[in-house]
Amino acid sequence: MTSDSPKLSGRTAVVTGGSRGIGLAVAEALLAAGANVVITGRDQSHLREASAQLSKGGRAGRVHTEVADVGRAPEAASAITAAVTKFGGLDILINNAGVGVFASVADMGVEDWQQTIDTNLSGVFYCCHAAVPEMRKRGGGWIINISSLAGKNSFINGAAYCASKAGLNAFSEALMLEVRQENIRVSYVMPGSVSTSFGRGDGPGGPAADWKLTADDIAQVVMDLIAHPARSLPSRVEIRPSRPPVKK
Protein backbone atom coordinates (compact mmCIF):
# COMPACT_ATOMS: atom_id res chain seq x y z
CA MET A 1 0.00 0.00 0.00
CA THR A 2 1.03 3.59 -0.49
CA SER A 3 1.75 6.10 2.28
CA ASP A 4 -1.67 7.60 1.52
CA SER A 5 -3.51 4.36 2.25
CA PRO A 6 -6.98 4.93 3.69
CA LYS A 7 -7.74 4.41 7.37
CA LEU A 8 -10.62 1.96 7.39
CA SER A 9 -11.10 1.14 11.06
CA GLY A 10 -14.76 0.33 11.64
CA ARG A 11 -15.46 -0.19 7.94
CA THR A 12 -16.61 -3.54 6.56
CA ALA A 13 -15.66 -4.98 3.19
CA VAL A 14 -16.76 -7.98 1.16
CA VAL A 15 -14.24 -9.40 -1.31
CA THR A 16 -15.68 -12.02 -3.64
CA GLY A 17 -13.25 -14.65 -4.83
CA GLY A 18 -11.09 -13.62 -1.89
CA SER A 19 -9.30 -16.87 -1.13
CA ARG A 20 -6.59 -16.63 -3.78
CA GLY A 21 -4.85 -14.31 -6.22
CA ILE A 22 -6.06 -10.74 -6.58
CA GLY A 23 -8.90 -11.20 -4.11
CA LEU A 24 -6.59 -12.45 -1.38
CA ALA A 25 -4.16 -9.57 -1.95
CA VAL A 26 -7.02 -7.05 -1.77
CA ALA A 27 -8.35 -8.63 1.43
CA GLU A 28 -4.88 -8.42 2.97
CA ALA A 29 -4.58 -4.74 2.06
CA LEU A 30 -8.03 -3.93 3.46
CA LEU A 31 -7.22 -5.67 6.73
CA ALA A 32 -3.91 -3.82 6.98
CA ALA A 33 -5.87 -0.56 6.66
CA GLY A 34 -8.09 -1.57 9.58
CA ALA A 35 -11.22 -2.90 7.85
CA ASN A 36 -13.30 -5.92 8.77
CA VAL A 37 -13.24 -8.27 5.79
CA VAL A 38 -15.54 -11.01 4.54
CA ILE A 39 -14.10 -13.16 1.77
CA THR A 40 -16.16 -15.48 -0.39
CA GLY A 41 -15.23 -18.48 -2.46
CA ARG A 42 -16.62 -21.79 -3.67
CA ASP A 43 -13.95 -24.00 -2.12
CA GLN A 44 -14.02 -24.43 1.66
CA SER A 45 -10.40 -25.63 1.82
CA HIS A 46 -9.12 -22.57 -0.04
CA LEU A 47 -11.15 -20.31 2.23
CA ARG A 48 -9.76 -22.06 5.30
CA GLU A 49 -6.17 -21.55 4.10
CA ALA A 50 -6.85 -17.90 3.25
CA SER A 51 -8.47 -17.28 6.63
CA ALA A 52 -5.44 -18.68 8.44
CA GLN A 53 -3.16 -16.40 6.43
CA LEU A 54 -5.31 -13.29 6.85
CA SER A 55 -5.89 -13.86 10.57
CA LYS A 56 -2.23 -13.61 11.55
CA GLY A 57 -1.18 -10.80 13.84
CA GLY A 58 -4.29 -10.78 15.98
CA ARG A 59 -6.69 -10.06 13.10
CA ALA A 60 -8.84 -13.20 13.44
CA GLY A 61 -11.79 -11.22 14.81
CA ARG A 62 -11.86 -9.06 11.69
CA VAL A 63 -11.89 -11.91 9.15
CA HIS A 64 -14.93 -13.95 8.15
CA THR A 65 -15.33 -16.48 5.34
CA GLU A 66 -18.43 -17.42 3.39
CA VAL A 67 -18.79 -20.32 0.98
CA ALA A 68 -20.70 -18.77 -1.89
CA ASP A 69 -21.05 -19.08 -5.64
CA VAL A 70 -21.84 -15.49 -6.58
CA GLY A 71 -23.26 -16.70 -9.88
CA ARG A 72 -26.25 -17.88 -7.85
CA ALA A 73 -28.34 -14.94 -6.67
CA PRO A 74 -29.34 -16.37 -3.26
CA GLU A 75 -25.73 -17.20 -2.38
CA ALA A 76 -24.52 -13.74 -3.40
CA ALA A 77 -27.21 -12.12 -1.28
CA SER A 78 -26.36 -14.39 1.66
CA ALA A 79 -22.74 -13.27 1.54
CA ILE A 80 -23.78 -9.62 1.83
CA THR A 81 -26.19 -10.48 4.65
CA ALA A 82 -23.43 -12.35 6.47
CA ALA A 83 -21.20 -9.26 6.41
CA VAL A 84 -23.98 -7.06 7.77
CA THR A 85 -24.86 -9.59 10.46
CA LYS A 86 -21.26 -10.23 11.50
CA PHE A 87 -19.93 -6.67 11.46
CA GLY A 88 -23.01 -4.43 11.57
CA GLY A 89 -23.06 -3.02 8.05
CA LEU A 90 -21.34 -2.85 4.68
CA ASP A 91 -19.10 -0.11 3.30
CA ILE A 92 -16.95 -1.72 0.59
CA LEU A 93 -17.70 -4.33 -2.06
CA ILE A 94 -14.90 -5.70 -4.21
CA ASN A 95 -16.35 -7.82 -7.00
CA ASN A 96 -13.37 -9.96 -7.88
CA ALA A 97 -14.75 -13.49 -8.35
CA GLY A 98 -14.25 -14.64 -11.91
CA VAL A 99 -13.83 -17.66 -14.12
CA GLY A 100 -12.19 -18.09 -17.49
CA VAL A 101 -12.97 -20.84 -19.96
CA PHE A 102 -11.12 -20.31 -23.21
CA ALA A 103 -12.32 -22.07 -26.34
CA SER A 104 -13.67 -21.22 -29.75
CA VAL A 105 -17.36 -20.42 -30.04
CA ALA A 106 -17.92 -23.62 -32.00
CA ASP A 107 -16.17 -25.77 -29.40
CA MET A 108 -17.30 -24.12 -26.17
CA GLY A 109 -19.90 -25.97 -24.16
CA VAL A 110 -23.12 -24.18 -23.31
CA GLU A 111 -22.50 -24.80 -19.60
CA ASP A 112 -19.05 -23.17 -19.83
CA TRP A 113 -20.58 -20.11 -21.49
CA GLN A 114 -23.26 -19.87 -18.85
CA GLN A 115 -20.82 -20.26 -15.96
CA THR A 116 -18.59 -17.51 -17.36
CA ILE A 117 -21.44 -15.04 -17.81
CA ASP A 118 -23.13 -16.06 -14.56
CA THR A 119 -19.99 -15.52 -12.49
CA ASN A 120 -18.25 -12.63 -14.22
CA LEU A 121 -21.30 -10.51 -15.01
CA SER A 122 -24.51 -11.70 -13.35
CA GLY A 123 -22.65 -12.38 -10.11
CA VAL A 124 -21.59 -8.73 -9.96
CA PHE A 125 -25.20 -7.65 -10.42
CA TYR A 126 -26.39 -10.02 -7.69
CA CYS A 127 -23.82 -8.71 -5.21
CA CYS A 128 -24.46 -5.05 -6.06
CA HIS A 129 -28.22 -5.58 -5.93
CA ALA A 130 -27.86 -6.78 -2.34
CA ALA A 131 -25.10 -4.35 -1.34
CA VAL A 132 -26.45 -0.98 -2.52
CA PRO A 133 -29.35 -0.85 -0.01
CA GLU A 134 -26.92 -1.64 2.81
CA MET A 135 -24.52 1.09 1.68
CA ARG A 136 -27.39 3.58 1.58
CA LYS A 137 -27.98 2.84 5.27
CA ARG A 138 -24.34 3.78 5.96
CA GLY A 139 -24.53 6.99 3.94
CA GLY A 140 -22.29 5.77 1.12
CA GLY A 141 -19.60 3.31 0.23
CA TRP A 142 -17.31 1.95 -2.45
CA ILE A 143 -17.97 -0.65 -5.14
CA ILE A 144 -14.90 -1.70 -7.10
CA ASN A 145 -15.27 -4.26 -9.86
CA ILE A 146 -12.25 -6.18 -11.10
CA SER A 147 -12.60 -6.36 -14.86
CA SER A 148 -9.92 -6.93 -17.50
CA LEU A 149 -8.39 -5.30 -20.54
CA ALA A 150 -10.02 -8.23 -22.33
CA GLY A 151 -13.25 -6.26 -21.95
CA LYS A 152 -12.08 -4.00 -24.75
CA ASN A 153 -9.28 -6.03 -26.39
CA SER A 154 -10.80 -9.25 -27.70
CA PHE A 155 -8.72 -12.32 -28.50
CA ILE A 156 -9.16 -15.69 -30.17
CA ASN A 157 -10.85 -18.31 -27.96
CA GLY A 158 -11.93 -15.58 -25.55
CA ALA A 159 -15.49 -14.85 -26.72
CA ALA A 160 -17.17 -15.76 -23.42
CA TYR A 161 -14.57 -14.10 -21.20
CA CYS A 162 -14.32 -10.95 -23.32
CA ALA A 163 -18.10 -10.63 -23.53
CA SER A 164 -18.47 -11.02 -19.77
CA LYS A 165 -15.88 -8.31 -19.07
CA ALA A 166 -17.24 -5.92 -21.70
CA GLY A 167 -20.64 -6.33 -20.08
CA LEU A 168 -19.11 -5.75 -16.66
CA ASN A 169 -17.56 -2.50 -17.86
CA ALA A 170 -20.88 -1.20 -19.17
CA PHE A 171 -22.69 -2.33 -16.03
CA SER A 172 -20.13 -0.54 -13.84
CA GLU A 173 -20.51 2.74 -15.73
CA ALA A 174 -24.30 2.63 -15.55
CA LEU A 175 -24.28 1.83 -11.84
CA MET A 176 -21.79 4.62 -11.20
CA LEU A 177 -24.20 7.11 -12.74
CA GLU A 178 -27.12 5.73 -10.73
CA VAL A 179 -25.58 5.96 -7.26
CA ARG A 180 -22.91 8.68 -7.39
CA GLN A 181 -25.25 11.27 -5.79
CA GLU A 182 -25.71 8.93 -2.81
CA ASN A 183 -21.99 8.94 -2.01
CA ILE A 184 -21.59 5.40 -3.36
CA ARG A 185 -18.48 5.43 -5.51
CA VAL A 186 -18.30 2.85 -8.30
CA SER A 187 -15.07 2.13 -10.14
CA TYR A 188 -13.73 -0.70 -12.22
CA VAL A 189 -10.17 -1.86 -12.72
CA MET A 190 -8.99 -3.34 -16.01
CA PRO A 191 -5.74 -5.25 -15.50
CA GLY A 192 -3.63 -6.66 -18.27
CA SER A 193 -1.61 -9.84 -17.69
CA VAL A 194 -1.42 -10.71 -13.99
CA SER A 195 0.77 -13.47 -12.61
CA THR A 196 -1.79 -15.59 -10.73
CA SER A 197 -3.17 -19.10 -11.04
CA PHE A 198 -6.11 -17.78 -13.10
CA GLY A 199 -6.38 -18.94 -16.68
CA ARG A 200 -5.32 -22.03 -18.55
CA GLY A 201 -2.29 -20.67 -20.33
CA ASP A 202 -4.19 -19.19 -23.27
CA GLY A 203 -6.25 -16.61 -21.39
CA PRO A 204 -5.42 -13.29 -19.69
CA GLY A 205 -3.63 -14.98 -16.79
CA GLY A 206 -1.49 -17.55 -18.49
CA PRO A 207 1.80 -18.88 -17.12
CA ALA A 208 3.66 -16.98 -14.42
CA ALA A 209 6.33 -14.56 -15.63
CA ASP A 210 8.46 -11.84 -14.04
CA TRP A 211 7.23 -9.19 -16.47
CA LYS A 212 3.59 -9.56 -15.48
CA LEU A 213 1.64 -7.55 -12.95
CA THR A 214 1.25 -9.05 -9.49
CA ALA A 215 -1.85 -9.40 -7.36
CA ASP A 216 -0.37 -6.79 -5.02
CA ASP A 217 -0.22 -4.31 -7.91
CA ILE A 218 -3.98 -4.61 -8.35
CA ALA A 219 -4.56 -4.40 -4.60
CA GLN A 220 -2.65 -1.11 -4.53
CA VAL A 221 -4.92 0.29 -7.24
CA VAL A 222 -7.98 -0.72 -5.21
CA MET A 223 -6.64 0.96 -2.08
CA ASP A 224 -5.73 4.10 -4.03
CA LEU A 225 -9.30 4.29 -5.37
CA ILE A 226 -10.72 4.05 -1.86
CA ALA A 227 -8.31 6.73 -0.62
CA HIS A 228 -9.06 9.13 -3.46
CA PRO A 229 -10.48 12.55 -2.43
CA ALA A 230 -14.27 12.63 -2.25
CA ARG A 231 -14.47 15.52 -4.73
CA SER A 232 -13.30 13.32 -7.61
CA LEU A 233 -14.19 9.86 -8.85
CA PRO A 234 -11.74 7.78 -10.90
CA SER A 235 -14.40 5.56 -12.44
CA ARG A 236 -12.07 3.41 -14.56
CA VAL A 237 -8.44 2.38 -14.22
CA GLU A 238 -6.43 0.54 -16.85
CA ILE A 239 -3.24 -1.08 -15.61
CA ARG A 240 -0.85 -3.14 -17.70
CA PRO A 241 2.70 -4.48 -17.44
CA SER A 242 5.18 -1.71 -18.12
CA ARG A 243 7.57 -3.86 -20.16
CA PRO A 244 5.90 -6.89 -21.74
CA PRO A 245 7.85 -9.04 -24.17
CA VAL A 246 8.16 -7.54 -27.64
CA LYS A 247 6.47 -9.70 -30.24
CA LYS A 248 8.80 -10.47 -33.14
Side-chain angles (χ1 to χ4, degrees):
M1 292 188 300
T2 67
S3 58
D4 295 326
S5 295
K7 304 299 186 290
L8 299 177
S9 179
R11 303 282 193 175
T12 297
V14 170
V15 182
T16 69
S19 64
R20 294 183 293 174
I22 292 172
L24 182 59
V26 171
E28 177 70 42
L30 289 164
L31 283 164
N36 305 311
V37 177
V38 175
I39 60 172
T40 77
R42 294 183 296 177
D43 188 303
Q44 180 67 71
S45 63
H46 290 156
L47 284 170
R48 188 162 43 246
E49 293 171 3
S51 179
Q53 177 179 329
L54 294 171
S55 297
K56 293 177 181 178
R59 301 187 304 195
R62 295 194 287 117
V63 179
H64 180 71
T65 64
E66 280 290 315
V67 177
D69 179 351
V70 298
R72 299 174 183 270
E75 295 184 31
S78 293
I80 300 301
T81 299
V84 174
T85 301
K86 176 71 176 179
F87 296 116
L90 179 67
D91 305 283
I92 301 165
L93 171 62
I94 311 298
N95 284 302
N96 167 74
V99 298
V101 180
F102 305 104
S104 70
V105 171
D107 293 334
M108 173 168 284
V110 171
E111 290 184 358
D112 288 335
W113 169 272
Q114 290 175 334
Q115 182 189 28
T116 302
I117 300 300
D118 287 349
T119 303
N120 297 1
L121 179 56
S122 296
V124 176
F125 164 74
Y126 299 146
C127 289
C128 291
H129 180 70
V132 167
E134 298 299 335
M135 291 183 177
R136 285 172 172 157
K137 295 175 185 177
R138 305 277 267 194
W142 295 264
I143 297 173
I144 300 175
N145 299 327
I146 307 301
S147 184
S148 170
L149 286 176
K152 70 170 194 172
N153 302 325
S154 299
F155 56 89
I156 293 173
N157 293 333
Y161 186 79
C162 294
S164 70
K165 293 302 185 178
L168 174 57
N169 296 348
F171 172 85
S172 301
E173 293 183 6
L175 179 62
M176 178 270 293
L177 295 172
E178 288 180 14
V179 299
R180 63 195 298 186
Q181 298 296 340
E182 299 177 87
N183 199 34
I184 300 174
R185 300 162 65 81
V186 180
S187 306
Y188 62 104
V189 181
M190 303 170 66
S193 298
V194 183
S195 185
T196 69
S197 60
F198 183 86
R200 297 180 179 174
D202 54 353
D210 291 342
W211 58 268
K212 292 185 177 182
L213 300 167
T214 68
D216 287 337
D217 294 332
I218 312 308
Q220 180 171 332
V221 171
V222 169
M223 299 307 289
D224 287 346
L225 286 169
I226 293 172
H228 217 270
R231 66 179 175 273
S232 57
L233 173 56
S235 55
R236 177 178 68 192
V237 177
E238 296 183 13
I239 178 170
R240 48 178 54 81
S242 58
R243 300 187 65 185
V246 177
K247 294 182 179 180
K248 298 181 181 179

